[in-house]
Amino acid sequence: MRRHHHRCQIGSDSETGSESDSDTDTPMRCISCREEYLPRNAGTCKECYVEAGETEEELKREIDDLKAKVAFLRLSSSLDHGTSSTSRSFTDVVLIASEDNAGSPPIPAHKSVLVSRSPVFKAMLENEMEESLSGTIKISDVSYDALRTFVYYLYTAEACLDEQMACDLLVMSEKYQVKHLKSYCERFLVTKLSPDNSLMTYAFAHQHNAKHVLDAALSQIVENMDKLTKREEYMELVEKDPRLIVEIYEAYLSKQVNTAAGGTSTSKTS
Amino acid sequence: MRRHHHRCQIGSDSETGSESDSDTDTPMRCISCREEYLPRNAGTCKECYVEAGETEEELKREIDDLKAKVAFLRLSSSLDHGTSSTSRSFTDVVLIASEDNAGSPPIPAHKSVLVSRSPVFKAMLENEMEESLSGTIKISDVSYDALRTFVYYLYTAEACLDEQMACDLLVMSEKYQVKHLKSYCERFLVTKLSPDNSLMTYAFAHQHNAKHVLDAALSQIVENMDKLTKREEYMELVEKDPRLIVEIYEAYLSKQVNTAAGGTSTSKTS
């Protein structure tokens, strides 16, 4: 495949501008969107544009290959088929949600899968601990639904999340060290951040060591700092964990200082 | 994320040319490669170019996500650790290569994985056939190395191929209906096609129902048709399977006719 030696990068406006000062300002038409533009605003020559299109095609092909690989590697868990065919899927362990042990059924699984996905399950099952001998793993402080979703994720790398489920799974993924699931939940929670839930999310992220959520929640809070002290959760957090509130004020102060510095340099150049 | 409503496509030269006839031909400079170009050769306006760059970034992020997913879903097979820790990986079946059953060790595996990957293993293991009861699957006409690589692929979707191994695995993947592996082998064999091996590869692909390899080998042969009848494999194939040779001549004839038609229309328009 033909390829330029350079990689495409956006050059600075001023540079391009100065070199095309002698151009007339007759409008031209973009070959992709058909909109008119002045020569001085031109983006790329045709060669670079074609190259970018080829790169896009290649990347899309790679994505298709990877998707097929994921579909191949995804295992069918006992949950794919309901409980009836469980006996046929060669499971050798069951998981039980301790929170509602009254009625919900045990969830069958394969030791080999649990061991592949989680170093905690690995230690538990490979070292003749109680769980390995009995073939039963009790998971504490979790609902049947959350456990079911957790096990399903271990087989398929897929989960249908809402905010509650994302929090539940984040806690489990932290406990059983399933990194891939933890980062999946973190990304979901970041998309759900709002000024209204940012303080609670921040506290939750702190408790469960979720760095990305923590950072995102903190910026959200700092941006809406004026309303901070009026919030109920604020009062609660001051009572319960004042250090967290201190961190918020530190982040706010640091932003104020940076903005002031940035503002000064802008006014100098203009 | 900002996004244009249009999708970028290369417009026709003539159209762009006619619209910019009034432009001066002062050279401009591409903002990506810094090379000069005439305004009439410009590729995109800056907005489209920036958008193309953003698309590339998005696609690359998606690729990273998918790669992480593949790494998560990939299972550790007993082959990852050598044979010593086999007892710890909860295997419940062994595979034996019948071709060299003298010395090579059985390969431990998990029924659940074999069943997920191959409908043939599924039928074999779920229906209380001999293999399911004994926990031993004998694979005929295959070397220990090929079987080992086959099993490894079922766990990881990865294999280190040479031409012989790609052929061996293609045969196995056809037999056990592991589509993902078959297409992996096909793509490998297509990259290895040359005028020297095209006839043999063509016959092999025909025998094992490998459509992509078949098509690629056929075009390779048809392009080098002048040397065809001098080849030793040609004589052999005429003896062994003359129908295949007929298909080659049909493809050649069809190409000749199309080229002639193409040539005529070209001479008309010029």
Side-chain angles (χ1 to χ4, degrees), chain B residues 51-70:
Chain B
E51 186 189 19
E54 282 172 2
T55 307
E56 194 175 324
E57 284 310 305
E58 270 174 62
L59 293 173
K60 281 184 179 165
R61 260 197 302 278
E62 193 175 348
I63 285 174
D64 287 343
D65 284 352
L66 283 165
K67 281 185 179 166
K69 217 168 185 175
V70 166

Side-chain angles (χ1 to χ4, degrees), chain A residues 170 200-211 213-215 217:
Chain A
L170 192 146
M200 293 318 292
T201 307
Y202 172 73
F204 173 82
H206 199 274
Q207 193 182 350
H208 297 287
N209 195 24
K211 181 92 177 64
V213 180
L214 194 77
D215 291 347

Side-chain angles (χ1 to χ4, degrees), chain A residues 27-86:
Chain A
M28 296 168 69
R29 209 173 277 277
C30 167
I31 61 166
S32 62
C33 65
R34 318 299 308 153
E35 273 166 34
E36 288 194 346
Y37 61 91
L38 297 178
R40 65 176 67 241
N41 294 327
T44 60
C45 65
K46 196 179 286 173
E47 208 171 14
C48 285
Y49 179 67
V50 170
E51 186 188 20
E54 283 173 0
T55 307
E56 195 174 323
E57 285 310 305
E58 270 175 63
L59 293 173
K60 282 184 178 163
R61 261 197 301 278
E62 193 174 348
I63 285 174
D64 287 343
D65 284 352
L66 283 165
K67 281 184 178 167
K69 217 169 185 175
V70 165
F72 176 74
L73 285 172
R74 168 186 201 294
L75 286 163
S76 50
S77 85
S78 57
L79 303 170
D80 276 342
H81 319 286
T83 43
S84 63
S85 69
T86 300

Side-chain angles (χ1 to χ4, degrees), chain A residues 161-172:
Chain A
L161 299 183
D162 57 25
E163 282 175 70
Q164 182 58 49
M165 186 57 86
C167 290
D168 289 352
L169 290 190
L170 192 146
V171 173
M172 291 191 77

Side-chain angles (χ1 to χ4, degrees), chain A residues 4 6-13 15-16 19-20 22-24 26-50 52 55-60 62-76 81 88-90 92 110-113 115-117 122 125-127 132 153-158 178-181 187, chain B residues 4 6-13 15-16 19-20 22-24 26-50 52 55-60 62-76 81 88-90 92 110-113 115-117 122 125-127 132 153-158 178-181 187:
Chain A
H4 286 180
H6 66 274
R7 288 303 306 134
C8 288
Q9 283 186 332
I10 315 282
S12 71
D13 290 0
E15 230 181 316
T16 315
E19 277 160 3
S20 56
S22 61
D23 292 345
T24 61
T26 319
M28 296 168 69
R29 209 173 277 277
C30 167
I31 61 166
S32 62
C33 65
R34 318 299 308 153
E35 273 166 34
E36 288 194 346
Y37 61 91
L38 297 178
R40 65 176 67 241
N41 294 327
T44 60
C45 65
K46 196 179 286 173
E47 208 171 14
C48 285
Y49 179 67
V50 170
T55 307
E56 195 174 323
E57 285 310 305
E58 270 175 63
L59 293 173
K60 282 184 178 163
E62 193 174 348
I63 285 174
D64 287 343
D65 284 352
L66 283 165
K67 281 184 178 167
K69 217 169 185 175
V70 165
F72 176 74
L73 285 172
R74 168 186 201 294
L75 286 163
S76 50
H81 319 286
R88 292 187 161 190
S89 43
F90 313 109
D92 52 8
H110 300 87
K111 287 181 182 175
S112 60
V113 174
V115 160
S116 279
R117 303 303 188 234
K122 193 176 162 74
L125 292 171
E126 287 186 348
N127 294 317
S132 182
Y153 192 90
L154 300 185
Y155 281 79
T156 61
E158 282 164 21
V178 185
K179 281 185 195 166
H180 191 266
L181 174 56
R187 273 179 291 166
Chain B
H4 287 180
H6 66 275
R7 289 304 305 134
C8 288
Q9 284 185 330
I10 313 282
S12 72
D13 288 0
E15 231 182 315
T16 315
E19 276 158 4
S20 55
S22 59
D23 293 345
T24 60
T26 321
M28 297 168 68
R29 209 173 277 278
C30 167
I31 61 166
S32 61
C33 66
R34 318 300 308 151
E35 274 166 34
E36 289 192 346
Y37 61 92
L38 297 178
R40 64 177 66 239
N41 294 327
T44 61
C45 66
K46 198 180 283 171
E47 208 170 12
C48 285
Y49 179 66
V50 170
T55 307
E56 194 175 324
E57 284 310 305
E58 270 174 62
L59 293 173
K60 281 184 179 165
E62 193 175 348
I63 285 174
D64 287 343
D65 284 352
L66 283 165
K67 281 185 179 166
K69 217 168 185 175
V70 166
F72 176 74
L73 285 172
R74 168 186 201 293
L75 286 162
S76 49
H81 320 285
R88 292 189 161 188
S89 42
F90 312 108
D92 52 9
H110 300 86
K111 286 180 182 175
S112 59
V113 174
V115 160
S116 279
R117 304 302 188 233
K122 193 175 164 72
L125 292 170
E126 288 187 345
N127 294 317
S132 182
Y153 192 89
L154 299 185
Y155 281 78
T156 61
E158 281 164 23
V178 185
K179 281 184 195 167
H180 191 266
L181 174 56
R187 274 180 289 166

